[in-house]
Amino acid sequence: MAVDGTAGRVTRRRLRTRANLLEAAFTVFAGKGFGHVSIEEVCEAAGYTRGAFYSNFTGLDELFFALYTERAELIAEQVSGAFALDGPDLDVTAAVDRVTDVLLLDHDWLLVKTDFLVHAARDPEVARGLLEHRARLRRTIADRLARSHDHTALPAVLGGAEGAAHAVVAAYDGVTVQLLLDRDVARARAWLKQLLTALLTG
Amino acid sequence: MAVDGTAGRVTRRRLRTRANLLEAAFTVFAGKGFGHVSIEEVCEAAGYTRGAFYSNFTGLDELFFALYTERAELIAEQVSGAFALDGPDLDVTAAVDRVTDVLLLDHDWLLVKTDFLVHAARDPEVARGLLEHRARLRRTIADRLARSHDHTALPAVLGGAEGAAHAVVAAYDGVTVQLLLDRDVARARAWLKQLLTALLTG
DNA sequence: CGTATCCGATACACCGATGTATCGAACAGG
DNA sequence: CCTGTTCGATACATCGGTGTATCGGATACG
């Protein structure tokens, strides 16, 4: 059995191996891409055999999903946190600075993230989940932006805070692509900051 | 032999099968993703056997590269064309309209394109090629934007026509991601238009 | 029409990965 | 410490894909 809500015993060892498998999988996925990775490779990297794998997951898909959601949740919290540090009124410029500073722009993570994107783009079920995740993130950002002390600062073309939040995500996605190719993190941060200021204080 | 500059004979049949293989590969790649596709699947979809394949390509990588560059070149021409239709002076608003109208936003193509992106992101050699392609496209856009009759129309934050072109590409990439997930082409077009106007006429 | 060449189908040998079934060892609970 | 349960290693059968070598038919050209 792989995933059972009914935990017979608490099993301490199991959690360790599961975590080890996930961490090893991240490295392997980042290196070769989800599509080109075999179960054996993951096990070898983690120092286990397939027995351990099949005892914890039903297949690569399940592991991949678990891996992604785990890390994505973490990052979403980071972004929310960067926006949340303000008082009741939001200073857009300061928020932009904080976000671009704190945002995790790790090449390996971007690789896995994009792998997951194409995976989701082919599976409506997975796409649904990912869309909801993105919608929640946008909602958070929109809420913060709505508290801006100068509402007219947001360009009207975008259509309010909702549109602005959408634009923020789009900018992030756009920067991601370039960063995936040139691997220049510093430039990406600067560029993201430019884009965001152009979009939010236009 | 697979790729020889010295064409012994002109060979008409060969070109057909090669084209057939490429077209079939596009469908198969779009459906399952580059990483999950076997040579046999491509051959079967095209109505050939592996013999034909190995006679035309050295492996899946080469075919994938050929497939991508072929279509990417086509699209780049479309975009350039949309910008080029103007007279000596560029009407930014009109150009944005044309681009968003003409731009190919086919879901299958976006899938393949993104697959190729992650592929390139892991292979510096391929990444180089892709970066150059993107740079050429940006250059074209920047040239057009520089001819705008009202230069001050471009937001200063972006840093001139170069920056603006960069922003256009980023916006396109950003919209691509959302479109991959929700498959709403009409919305994507409208959204892209909003983004571009916000960026270029800020 | 003849023929030399090319192209792609067929057959073959070879992994590598998969999933399952079984077994010994580790571990929590008493 | 003892014991029943759980976890993960090992062994096995199987399958699908790979790449190559060879052969027959198609095709361009004289």
Side-chain angles (χ1 to χ4, degrees), chain A residues 141-164:
Chain A
I141 299 176
D143 283 354
R144 303 298 173 188
L145 286 179
R147 294 196 197 167
S148 168
H149 54 266
D150 185 2
H151 290 238
T152 60
L154 296 179
V157 236
L158 293 179
E162 281 286 336

Side-chain angles (χ1 to χ4, degrees), chain A residues 9-10 12-13 37-41 50 54 60:
Chain A
R9 282 196 200 172
V10 196
R12 195 141 86 239
R13 175 165 64 142
V37 167
S38 68
I39 293 178
E40 280 200 348
E41 279 174 301
R50 288 205 319 284
Y54 283 110
L60 267 189

Side-chain angles (χ1 to χ4, degrees), chain B residues 172-185:
Chain B
Y172 172 57
D173 289 333
V175 169
T176 293
V177 174
Q178 181 68 16
L179 180 52
L180 273 175
L181 292 174
D182 67 14
R183 304 185 183 221
D184 190 335
V185 180

